[in-house]
């Protein structure tokens, strides 16, 4: 036995460095009159897919799952045609870089360079040329792929939620941690990142719900991955959800603003701030480089069927209960229940609310939001509201 352990230990110790996860070590932009050159430095020869998207114009570079080893201050932004750059996990096995570009562009020459005397890393060099709007539409349909292809995108990258077993009579609560992967969501004054913060709240809420024994719980995501808004809604429906709770954290230009708030779906926004917030939250798919295939991103609700009206009423009931419960344990925004056209709340069958747990733009609230004690407190308030809701609608 001892010998076996020693043998195994040696195997692990001798594992070559190449077993480490491949990484992106630098990103550079060269701005020239006729084109912008974008260079990624990588720890291994690049395997890639490159394509463009419109509304707004973006260049998407997919790579195998990689670590991003570039400090935030070294990420090139606002150079050449590149306005902004995001990186994150698109799905297990595939990382994504999204470049927001100022003009329509064509992906010109793409080169891969091996380490040489000057640079010790592999490089992926992409030339972007500004083209007219019409040239973008006629010439930009092709995807540029490396000789070794990336594994195909899995349609069911996020396992579909299991349906409800007929023997289980407990209500199903669907918890949706907002954003993820290449879409970080909002950033707080001291660096809290919405996608990570809300995943912690989602996990704490799940923990407490399961501990109660009264509910079935389904999470739309339980890792740092991209999940299109429609897929979140679909997961809630497939799971036979009785309640869908989307968790977010907000920021605002005036730092003094703080407090939790709850949102439901409505055709017309309750106020300008709710409308602005919905527009921001609905941009998640755009930020993630999700190809909407010409599907309208417009979430105006001109036609809402009867099922949706009934569901909207239930959502409002739950939102009212939730505001009461949250108000007993944390500070609320003035007029804490608001409404607008949030795409993630559009299920016609699952009553849905979106909770902004607070403002990360307020220094003391950001600090509070990051504390474990506050997560516990917010989660127990949400559970009180869930209990009350099912008492009257169970
Ligand atoms: Zn959000």
């Amino acid at each position: 036995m001892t010998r076996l352990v020693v043998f195994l230990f040696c195997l692990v110790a001798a594992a070559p460095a190449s077993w480490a996860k491949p990484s992106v070590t630098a990103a550079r932009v060269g701005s020239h009159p006729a084109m912008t050159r974008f260079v990624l430095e990588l720890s291994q020869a690049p395997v890639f897919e490159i394509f463009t998207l419109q509304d707004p114009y973006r260049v998407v570079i997919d790579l195998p799952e990689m670590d991003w080893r570039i400090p935030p201050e070294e990420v090139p932004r606002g150079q050449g045609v590149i306005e902004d750059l995001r990186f994150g996990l698109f799905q297990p096995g595939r990382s994504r870089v999204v470049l927001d570009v100022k003009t329509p562009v064509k992906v010109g020459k793409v080169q891969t360079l091996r380490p040489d005397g000057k640079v010790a890393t592999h490089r992926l060099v992409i030339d972007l040329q500004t083209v007219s709007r019409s040239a973008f539409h006629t010439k930009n349909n092709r995807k540029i792929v490396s000789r070794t292809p990336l594994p195909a995108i899995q349609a069911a990258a996020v396992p579909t939620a299991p349906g409800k077993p007929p023997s289980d009579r407990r209500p199903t609560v669907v918890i949706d941690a907002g954003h993820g992967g290449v879409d970080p969501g909002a950033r707080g004054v001291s660096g809290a990142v919405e996608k990570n913060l809300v995943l912690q709240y989602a996990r704490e809420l799940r923990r407490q719900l399961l501990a109660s024994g009264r509910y079935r719980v389904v999470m739309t995501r339980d890792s740092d991955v991209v999940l299109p808004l429609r897929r979140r809604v679909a997961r809630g429906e497939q799971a036979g959800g009785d309640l869908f709770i989307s968790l977010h954290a907000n920021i605002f230009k005036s730092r003094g603003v703080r407090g939790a708030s709850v949102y439901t779906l409505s055709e017309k926004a309750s106020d300008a701030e709710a409308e602005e917030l919905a527009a921001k939250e609905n941009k998640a798919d755009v930020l993630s480089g999700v190809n909407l295939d010409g599907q309208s991103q417009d979430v105006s609700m001109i036609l809402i069927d009867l099922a949706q009206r009934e569901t909207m009423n239930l959502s409002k009931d739950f939102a009212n209960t939730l505001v009461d419960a949250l108000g007993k344990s944390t500070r609320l925004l003035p007029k804490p229940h608001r409404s607008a056209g949030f795409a993630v709340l559009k299920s016609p069958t699952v009553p849905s609310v979106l909770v902004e747990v607070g403002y990360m733009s307020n220094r003391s609230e950001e600090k509070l939001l990051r504390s474990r004690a506050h997560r516990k407190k917010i989660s127990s308030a949400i559970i009180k509201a869930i209990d009350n809701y099912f008492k009257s609608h169970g």
Side-chain angles (χ1 to χ4, degrees):
M1 186 63 195
T2 315
R3 199 178 292 166
L4 179 66
V5 170
V6 169
F7 175 64
L8 279 174
F9 174 76
C10 292
L11 259 185
V12 172
S18 60
W19 281 18
K21 200 162 159 194
S23 55
V24 183
T25 52
R28 284 182 276 117
V29 175
S31 180
H32 307 274
M35 58 109 171
T36 298
R37 173 165 284 181
F38 179 67
V39 183
L40 282 177
E41 291 188 9
L42 309 143
S43 66
Q44 65 172 31
V47 170
F48 56 86
E49 280 181 19
I50 305 168
F51 57 95
T52 53
L53 294 171
Q54 55 179 322
D55 298 327
Y57 292 109
R58 285 153 293 161
V59 177
V60 177
I61 304 154
D62 277 358
L63 302 162
E65 189 167 331
M66 289 200 170
D67 278 338
W68 182 257
R69 298 252 173 92
I70 310 176
E73 65 278 9
E74 285 176 27
V75 173
R77 293 190 162 95
Q79 294 176 34
V81 291
I82 299 169
E83 181 109 64
D84 200 4
L85 181 161
R86 289 180 300 280
F87 177 90
L89 192 61
F90 185 71
Q91 62 175 229
R94 183 181 285 240
S95 287
R96 172 165 287 189
V97 179
V98 182
L99 305 178
D100 294 329
V101 285
K102 293 173 195 156
T103 59
V105 294
K106 173 176 171 280
V107 179
K109 199 156 97 182
V110 175
Q111 309 169 69
T112 57
L113 304 174
R114 307 190 134 272
D116 53 32
K118 284 190 214 144
V119 185
T121 53
H122 289 271
R123 278 147 292 159
L124 174 60
V125 182
I126 304 167
D127 291 347
L128 302 172
Q129 292 150 0
T130 298
V131 291
S132 67
R133 215 168 259 267
S134 57
F136 178 91
H137 290 285
T138 47
K139 293 186 187 148
N140 259 37
N141 299 326
R142 70 197 178 100
K143 197 178 254 188
I144 298 164
V145 297
S146 49
R147 202 165 297 159
T148 316
L150 266 180
I153 290 189
Q154 302 295 312
V158 177
T160 50
K164 192 174 191 163
S167 55
D168 194 342
R169 310 275 301 261
R170 295 173 304 168
T172 300
V173 178
V174 182
I175 308 172
D176 176 52
H179 311 276
V182 76
D183 164 26
R187 271 176 213 282
V189 264
S190 320
V193 179
E194 182 182 0
K195 66 172 183 177
N196 302 330
L197 186 99
V198 297
L199 184 56
Q200 289 182 317
Y201 275 80
R203 287 175 175 157
E204 175 60 23
L205 180 58
R206 172 179 61 185
R207 193 188 64 76
Q208 292 193 23
L209 278 167
L210 291 177
S212 81
R214 294 190 290 278
Y215 302 99
R216 242 184 106 229
V217 179
V218 172
M219 304 262 282
T220 56
R221 73 172 176 99
D222 191 17
S223 60
D224 186 18
V225 287
V226 165
L227 189 59
L229 296 172
R230 278 183 179 77
R231 195 91 75 70
R232 296 172 189 260
V233 175
R235 283 209 87 195
E237 291 173 348
Q238 284 160 8
D242 295 291
L243 212 46
F244 178 97
I245 303 171
S246 189
L247 296 171
H248 292 257
N250 212 344
I251 49 171
F252 198 65
K253 41 189 181 293
S254 34
R255 297 260 170 105
V257 175
R258 56 183 297 182
S261 48
V262 178
Y263 297 79
T264 48
L265 180 69
S266 65
E267 291 171 78
K268 210 174 155 298
S270 59
D271 54 283
E273 281 134 31
E275 188 164 12
E276 203 178 297
L277 178 68
K280 196 170 74 182
E281 299 294 5
N282 290 345
K283 257 179 74 184
D285 290 348
V286 167
L287 295 176
S288 309
V290 170
N291 192 354
L292 296 167
D293 289 332
Q295 290 175 61
S296 168
Q297 289 171 49
D298 181 15
V299 287
S300 63
M301 309 289 147
I302 298 152
L303 288 170
I304 294 177
D305 64 21
L306 284 173
Q308 184 132 22
R309 287 218 176 273
E310 173 61 14
T311 305
M312 281 164 75
N313 288 334
L314 291 172
S315 306
K316 276 184 226 161
D317 284 353
F318 177 59
N320 290 329
T321 317
L322 187 52
V323 161
D324 284 348
L326 284 171
K328 287 184 186 126
S329 56
T330 190
R331 186 193 291 245
L332 298 177
L333 196 68
K335 290 189 287 159
H337 175 194
R338 302 178 182 211
S339 63
F342 291 90
V344 80
L345 303 181
K346 275 184 76 180
S347 168
T349 53
V350 186
S352 305
V353 303
L354 185 145
V355 183
E356 296 280 352
V357 290
Y359 282 83
M360 302 182 298
S361 41
N362 178 285
R363 203 169 286 278
S364 47
E365 189 149 271
E366 186 197 37
K367 195 167 170 230
L368 188 68
L369 287 170
R370 292 171 102 163
S371 76
R372 188 151 177 253
H374 196 70
R375 279 203 296 280
K376 286 187 161 182
K377 209 166 156 187
I378 294 275
S379 300
S380 22
I382 297 176
I383 292 178
K384 258 183 215 126
I386 295 174
D387 287 342
N388 287 341
Y389 172 82
F390 284 112
K391 250 177 232 156
S392 43
H393 297 97

